[in-house]
Amino acid sequence: MSRITFPATIAAAPEASQPLLQAVEKQLGSVPNLFRLASVSPTALQGYLGLSGALAKGRLPAATRERVALAVAQANGCNYCLSAHSYLGKNLAKLDDAEIAANRAGRSTDAKADAAVQFAVKVLNARGRVATEDLREVRDAGYDDGQIIEIVQHVALNIWTNYLNELAQTEIDFPVVDAGVLAA
């Protein structure tokens, strides 16, 4: 049970959150618990959806965005986000099980994406204080400074969802994946 009470339905959400939740439902076919949790603060929900929507229009492919989310969720031990992004990675970004396992280990089976995922984990672990060599490596893999900034924003956005779900102990409403259990 969540440590922060959130609305069970769109109609029970704060009035300002209702149209935002309706848009989520239209896009996803349901309203996952994370969105209903964030809806307690219409401002937080609007900010999350705004940044998510803007980054979805960025230059990083959806598969790379999911890879970064998986790596960050694993590193932060957030089972909710790990479960959600395992599901989204497999069903929307079409990542296979080997790729998801690699992402959880902070890597990718795709050479270019591997540089992005490793860089994201370095940004996370170093709290942004990465070495010049780390920047060179991600650039050498083909990422320009705009894409590097997007990687950092994806790390930050995923940290927010990880921390919120850990704080609230949000009930997982996706097939459960446990950060403590790595696939072989």
Side-chain angles (χ1 to χ4, degrees):
M1 180 169 186
S2 178
R3 295 192 306 181
I4 295 177
T5 303
F6 58 85
T9 65
I10 293 173
E15 189 174 335
S17 291
Q18 291 178 15
L20 301 171
L21 293 175
Q22 289 166 346
V24 168
E25 183 176 49
K26 184 177 180 183
Q27 181 181 10
L28 299 179
S30 66
V31 183
N33 287 341
L34 165 65
F35 297 94
R36 291 187 294 115
L37 171 62
S39 80
V40 172
S41 167
T43 302
L45 179 60
Q46 183 178 24
Y48 172 62
L49 292 172
L51 184 53
S52 294
L55 287 172
K57 296 174 187 171
R59 293 185 25 242
L60 295 177
T64 299
R65 297 190 309 262
E66 288 304 320
R67 289 171 171 120
V68 168
L70 284 160
V72 172
Q74 179 67 44
N76 282 327
C78 180
N79 290 338
Y80 185 93
C81 292
L82 190 58
S83 299
H85 290 289
S86 293
Y87 178 85
L88 295 169
K90 181 173 266 193
N91 293 290
L92 297 180
K94 304 302 182 195
L95 302 177
D96 62 25
D97 290 338
E99 179 63 15
I100 291 171
N103 302 154
R104 290 180 63 190
R107 303 295 308 247
S108 175
T109 60
D110 175 89
K112 184 173 181 178
D114 187 50
V117 173
Q118 285 191 59
F119 182 73
V121 171
K122 289 174 184 176
V123 168
L124 173 70
N125 290 335
R127 295 184 183 103
R129 295 176 189 94
V130 298
T132 300
E133 175 69 13
D134 298 325
L135 276 171
R136 185 192 59 74
E137 288 173 2
V138 75
R139 285 179 178 136
D140 286 351
Y143 293 95
D144 63 30
D145 288 346
Q147 291 168 309
I148 291 168
I149 291 168
E150 287 182 31
I151 292 168
V152 173
Q153 277 204 304
H154 281 285
V155 170
L157 181 63
N158 283 284
I159 289 170
W160 182 78
T161 60
N162 293 175
Y163 285 10
L164 179 60
N165 284 305
E166 285 300 301
L167 172 107
Q169 296 179 353
T170 310
E171 182 179 342
I172 299 170
D173 49 352
F174 292 92
V176 176
V177 178
D178 187 338
V181 180
L182 289 174

